[in-house]
Amino acid sequence: MRAPILRKDRKDVVAELRAELKKPGIVVVPGVYDVITALLAQSMGFKAGYVSGAAVTASLGLPDLGIVTMDEMVRVVRYIASSVDMPLIVDIDTGYGEALNVVRAVVEFERAGAAGVQIEDQVLPKKCGHLSGKALVSPDEMAKKIKAAVEARRNPDFVIVARTDARGVAGFDDAVERARLYLEVGADVIFPEALESEQEFAEFARRVKAPLLANMTEFGKSPLIPAKRLEEYGYKFVIFPVTLLRVALGAVRDALRTIAELGTQEPLVPRMLTRKELYELIGYYDYEDFDKKIAEEVDRRLAVKLRPDKVHGQDN
């Protein structure tokens, strides 16, 4: 009998994510920002989750300007990784500093249960990749961070994603050249941020021969391209970093408006997860069964120990 929190052996999620790099087809990766969204994504059959810095930061009521600390992000990842068995790619912004800070970050996120991390080539304070006014570190400084990340990982399958924000700062060609350099120093996946047309996505894939990650965030500079088409261009991953948070907040706002106007939640009930569905998602019944079995086992042992024939050494 095992406690529900240990109800199944942990899969090797790092090896699982690494294996995806060698398989055909694109991996659709929703952005998850807490345990419950990760559990729901896993229950829907997604192969991986993306822990978005923007989504986690927004969930704390903060802007995506590099304000959240490494320790805060590690804590979120540890909670999620201990609750799901799907690989997690974690957004670690600029690596929280220079190359030595990146070493510390990779060690901590690997220990927390991530299967890979994503590092970007902005300077601090960083901005959302789809906003104007970004600034970049030099290509060699970013290359040092990537090399540091590669050397720091204890598991060679741990995936290093290098993001370049160069398209919106220095132009498309610079983004391509940076991507090639990042690959040379050991990046496993290249993430070209904020490409501005479907043609640019196709051209980037033609010029950079590597596993590529596309960002299909809403309200940004990139068009919303279906995963199947990105797969045809040669992309390995497509992330939806803030989609679940935005949809959830929209639904919460609608619910609050309904309650404020009507004084009842009754019209909202058909849109809710039922109590049973929520309990199944979080494993409630496993905990209840475990508690019952523990109580029965202890009661049985106590009953045997306290039987009169055992106390007096008699058989009836």
Side-chain angles (χ1 to χ4, degrees):
M1 179 169 50
R2 304 182 70 192
I5 204 164
L6 302 173
R7 60 186 176 273
K8 51 189 172 183
D9 294 327
R10 297 289 298 167
K11 293 191 296 185
D12 187 348
V13 292
V14 178
E16 196 171 292
L17 184 63
R18 172 66 61 173
E20 289 295 341
L21 298 181
K22 302 173 184 177
K23 296 178 183 177
I26 195 166
V27 180
V28 176
V29 187
V32 297
Y33 54 92
D34 59 12
V35 173
I36 201 69
T37 52
L39 282 170
L40 193 53
Q42 179 174 268
S43 75
M44 298 291 290
F46 287 94
K47 294 181 180 179
Y50 178 77
V51 185
S52 161
V56 171
T57 300
S59 75
L60 298 175
L62 297 170
D64 184 22
L65 295 170
I67 294 173
V68 168
T69 66
M70 183 189 75
D71 286 347
E72 289 174 306
M73 198 70 174
V74 166
R75 187 179 307 120
V76 171
V77 171
R78 184 177 294 115
Y79 287 150
I80 297 173
S82 67
S83 302
V84 298
D85 280 332
M86 68 179 179
L88 300 173
I89 302 170
V90 181
D91 173 8
I92 64 170
D93 289 339
T94 63
Y96 307 102
E98 305 305 322
L100 290 179
N101 302 92
V102 171
V103 169
R104 175 80 191 285
V106 168
V107 169
E108 293 299 327
F109 282 101
E110 189 175 359
R111 183 181 294 152
V117 292
Q118 170 221 301
I119 310 168
E120 64 198 54
D121 57 7
Q122 286 194 54
V123 300
L124 281 174
K126 52 106 10 154
K127 289 190 173 184
C128 166
H130 289 256
L131 295 180
S132 300
K134 298 182 292 184
L136 305 177
V137 299
S138 66
D140 63 314
E141 185 175 342
M142 178 62 171
K144 290 172 185 175
K145 290 186 181 185
I146 296 167
K147 182 62 174 174
V150 171
E151 295 298 325
R153 62 186 173 192
R154 290 178 249 186
N155 186 335
D157 286 338
F158 191 80
V159 173
I160 307 299
V161 180
R163 169 177 140 180
T164 179
D165 286 65
R167 169 62 185 91
V169 180
F172 184 84
D173 289 339
D174 189 64
V176 169
E177 291 307 310
R178 282 174 176 259
R180 290 171 176 167
L181 173 61
Y182 302 163
L183 286 170
E184 285 181 22
V185 294
D188 300 300
V189 178
I190 295 296
F191 173 0
E193 177 65 305
L195 300 184
E196 297 184 5
S197 69
E198 188 165 335
Q199 292 71 29
E200 286 192 357
F201 277 92
E203 179 65 10
F204 194 93
R206 190 185 69 80
R207 293 173 61 179
V208 179
K209 299 304 181 183
L212 300 177
L213 183 151
N215 180 8
M216 289 294 103
T217 195
E218 306 82 15
F219 314 114
K221 295 181 180 295
S222 300
L224 301 182
I225 306 169
K228 192 64 179 174
R229 198 172 308 146
L230 288 166
E231 180 182 359
E232 291 170 359
Y233 294 146
Y235 285 79
K236 181 68 243 180
F237 298 102
V238 54
I239 61 171
F240 299 82
V242 195
T243 304
L244 298 188
L245 177 68
R246 288 183 174 125
V247 170
L249 289 175
V252 169
R253 181 181 59 190
D254 290 346
L256 290 170
R257 185 180 292 124
T258 298
I259 292 170
E261 292 176 355
L262 303 181
T264 177
Q265 78 278 43
E266 187 172 353
L268 302 170
V269 172
R271 296 163 55 186
M272 296 180 184
L273 259 67
T274 65
R275 183 189 300 271
K276 182 175 183 293
E277 288 171 327
L278 176 59
Y279 282 3
E280 288 174 347
L281 182 63
I282 63 177
Y284 175 90
Y285 300 111
D286 294 334
Y287 284 84
E288 195 172 60
D289 290 345
F290 176 78
D291 188 50
K292 181 180 179 182
K293 289 175 183 176
I294 287 291
E296 289 173 349
E297 176 68 19
V298 172
D299 289 345
R300 185 164 55 250
R301 289 177 180 271
L302 288 175
V304 170
K305 185 175 181 180
L306 297 176
R307 275 172 50 191
D309 58 323
K310 295 295 182 182
V311 174
H312 298 292
Q314 298 175 353
D315 277 327
N316 294 331

